[in-house]
């Protein structure tokens, strides 16, 4: 949070969080106790480009990818459910990827693809479970975005990505 000066300048509340660490998530929930949340956007993600073939797959990286990309958003959603219940929007947005599509899969990137596919299933389960309480839970993919993860060759700027998701 100390180096997120641009974000803080927008008036956003910046909090420390490691989505893979239950203690960190519990600490965030404690700090946000009583704060209503209308929309939760789970945007944690990691991509290891080295696991493109079965021969190069690293199971430790795969486990870490599942912790960040799938279990992390579930952990945060569960911890902040009381805050969402107090909010007006009751909306959960999980940022996924087209690379998670089973139909469109061309192979490679085992850790990223499978962990984001797991996130999609988690979202479906949460959506079904919480629908009767007025919740909306969706997955959105931002496209291939020029970020540290997407790289300089990506087709979309961050502004274009956000604009597309808002539309």
């Amino acid at each position: 949070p100390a180096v997120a000066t641009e974000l803080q300048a927008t008036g956003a509340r910046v909090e420390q969080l490691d989505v893979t660490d239950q203690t960190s998530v519990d600490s965030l929930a404690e700090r946000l106790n009583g704060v209503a949340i209308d929309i939760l956007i789970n945007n944690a993600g990691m991509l290891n480009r080295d696991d493109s073939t079965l021969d190069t797959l690293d199971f430790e990286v795969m486990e870490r990818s599942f912790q960040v990309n799938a279990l992390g958003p579930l952990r945060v959603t569960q911890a902040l459910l009381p805050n969402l219940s107090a909010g007006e929007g009751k909306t959960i947005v999980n940022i996924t990827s087209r690379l998670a599509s089973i139909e469109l899969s061309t192979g490679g990137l085992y850790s990223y693809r499978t962990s984001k596919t797991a996130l999609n299933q988690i979202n479906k389960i949460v959506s079904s479970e919480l629908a009767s309480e007025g919740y909306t839970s969706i997955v959105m993919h931002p496209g291939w975005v020029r970020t540290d993860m997407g790289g300089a060759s990506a087709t979309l700027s961050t502004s274009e990505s956000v604009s597309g998701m808002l539309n």
Side-chain angles (χ1 to χ4, degrees):
V3 298
T5 54
E6 285 184 53
L7 188 56
Q8 289 173 354
T10 69
R13 178 174 173 169
V14 179
E15 294 282 347
Q16 176 68 39
L17 177 63
D18 177 350
V19 300
T20 68
D21 179 0
Q22 188 65 52
T23 301
S24 179
V25 173
D26 291 344
S27 179
L28 174 68
E30 188 175 304
R31 292 191 307 275
L32 295 178
N33 186 31
V35 176
I37 296 176
D38 293 327
I39 301 172
L40 171 63
I41 301 174
N42 288 310
N43 190 36
M46 69 169 281
L47 167 65
N48 176 3
R49 296 183 191 284
D50 294 332
D51 65 345
S52 292
T53 67
L54 196 53
D55 292 340
T56 60
L57 176 61
D58 181 331
F59 282 95
E60 288 182 17
V61 171
M62 187 170 229
E63 288 173 6
R64 177 77 176 157
S65 295
F66 269 84
Q67 286 295 328
V68 172
N69 297 343
L71 299 178
L74 181 59
R75 206 177 267 118
V76 171
T77 299
Q78 181 187 52
L80 297 183
L81 203 55
N83 305 80
L84 286 159
S85 292
E88 293 180 19
K90 293 186 178 180
T91 302
I92 302 162
V93 178
N94 291 300
I95 303 300
T96 189
S97 171
R98 285 190 71 203
L99 293 174
S101 169
I102 293 171
E103 179 184 359
L104 300 177
S105 182
T106 57
L109 300 176
Y110 284 85
S111 300
Y112 186 74
R113 286 180 190 271
T114 58
S115 61
K116 286 295 189 174
T117 302
L119 175 64
N120 293 349
Q121 182 61 267
I122 288 167
N123 182 83
K124 178 60 178 169
I125 295 167
V126 168
S127 176
S128 296
E129 181 178 343
L130 298 180
S132 65
E133 297 175 40
Y135 281 84
T136 300
S137 185
I138 63 170
V139 292
M140 296 183 84
H141 79 86
W144 187 23
V145 187
R146 287 187 298 274
T147 61
D148 290 343
M149 186 166 71
S153 298
T155 56
L156 298 173
S157 69
T158 54
S159 296
E160 291 167 324
S161 172
V162 170
S163 177
M165 288 190 289
L166 288 173
N167 285 336

